[in-house]
Amino acid sequence: MIEVQSLTKNFGGRAILRGVSLRVSPGEAVALIGPSGGGKSTLLRCLNGLESFDAGQVRIADHQLHGGVTPAPRALRPLRQQVGMVFQQFHLFGHRTARDNVTEALIHVRGEETSRANARALEVLTRVGLAHRLDAYPHELSGGEQQRVALARALAMEPRVLLMDEPTSALDPERVSDVVELLRGLRDGGLTLVMVTHEMKVVRKLATRTVVLHGGELIEQGAPEEVLERPRDPRTRAFLALA
């Protein structure tokens, strides 16, 4: 489903990603962890074409991206129809309601009729516990509610792959559990998940594999309990504050 080969990304003379290679099978839930500045969010953005990269290649949902090439937005449309993204800062349209934020891509990217898009918006907003906030604008929503609208917007497109940058950071503990259960159900149904998170409880409950990025390099990966409890690399042990 996802294959990253020797991905290299430089910015301002600094190496952000240093030859990262990674394979993710269909239905896996991969958690990217590591210190801030290690390249986690940049890797996510490279996977769906939001960031170009200098060398290497990405194959994701039957689409290919190549280093040194910046695809035109039109060329990325088929990829965006199959690869959803939930941003840490939500990126909701401030002048549109929760319902309209969800229907925007359904209507303008997938070409669905408004009535069908509205029905789909109601379905996914109900799944994330926001059926009662259909007509609320982002400034009327809490941070956690905005986060769940962003998740609903991504799920509405029925992606094959879902990329998430700190998907539970704005949620209270009760809502974290709800969202994790929702994502586990999607994972078990075959959706491939790749998420950046600093919440190790979420890693334990949701991830099938944990990948550690440090200084732009993939330094360790394995089952969550192995990486979190018995890491091999001393940099991972330092990040997790293990003796």
Side-chain angles (χ1 to χ4, degrees):
M1 177 62 72
I2 302 175
E3 184 172 358
V4 180
Q5 294 183 345
S6 304
L7 195 153
T8 299
K9 167 76 175 178
N10 300 303
F11 183 77
R14 186 169 75 92
I16 307 299
L17 294 170
R18 304 169 182 265
V20 171
S21 295
L22 176 68
R23 292 177 63 94
V24 181
S25 299
E28 271 199 284
V30 172
L32 304 177
I33 69 170
S36 297
K40 303 181 298 298
S41 294
T42 299
L43 176 58
L44 275 194
R45 294 173 67 86
C46 288
L47 290 181
N48 76 341
L50 283 171
E51 294 266 4
S52 60
F53 46 95
D54 298 288
Q57 67 177 16
V58 171
R59 182 180 178 87
I60 181 168
D62 299 326
H63 300 275
Q64 290 193 358
L65 301 170
H66 300 279
V69 177
T70 302
R74 188 182 190 118
L76 289 170
R77 180 171 289 187
L79 181 148
R80 301 270 169 77
Q81 291 179 328
Q82 295 186 314
V83 180
M85 180 82 177
V86 179
F87 299 92
Q88 185 175 7
Q89 302 301 323
F90 318 138
H91 293 303
L92 300 178
F93 296 111
H95 63 295
R96 294 186 178 275
T97 64
R99 184 202 331 254
D100 292 341
N101 267 280
V102 174
T103 61
E104 179 77 14
L106 291 171
I107 293 170
H108 297 290
V109 176
R110 284 184 30 174
E112 292 192 3
E113 295 181 356
T114 301
S115 59
R116 182 184 178 95
N118 283 335
R120 178 65 175 156
L122 175 59
E123 176 188 341
V124 293
L125 285 167
T126 299
R127 292 178 75 183
V128 299
L130 288 176
H132 63 299
R133 302 293 268 158
L134 280 173
D135 297 316
Y137 289 89
H139 73 272
E140 299 173 322
L141 300 171
S142 69
E145 288 173 331
Q146 291 183 53
Q147 182 76 303
R148 285 182 282 150
V149 172
L151 176 58
R153 178 176 59 184
L155 295 178
M157 296 291 285
E158 300 177 292
R160 295 172 61 189
V161 177
L162 185 59
L163 310 175
M164 299 176 290
D165 197 350
E166 300 288 356
T168 58
S169 60
L171 304 178
D172 59 46
E174 180 182 1
R175 287 301 180 187
V176 169
S177 296
D178 290 344
V179 168
V180 167
E181 285 303 311
L182 171 63
L183 294 172
R184 283 172 65 174
L186 294 168
R187 178 202 68 193
D188 293 345
L191 181 63
T192 303
L193 306 174
V194 181
M195 63 177 174
V196 170
T197 184
H198 284 91
E199 298 189 49
M200 298 304 119
K201 289 183 180 179
V202 173
V203 175
R204 292 178 184 274
K205 291 180 179 178
L206 180 59
T208 57
R209 181 155 48 109
T210 303
V211 172
V212 185
L213 286 177
H214 189 291
E217 298 179 343
L218 195 163
I219 63 170
E220 188 161 0
Q221 61 179 307
E225 61 274 13
E226 293 178 359
V227 172
L228 298 182
E229 298 173 13
R230 298 179 295 279
R232 298 183 300 274
D233 194 290
R235 291 168 293 181
T236 306
R237 296 184 65 83
F239 166 69
L240 296 171
L242 296 174

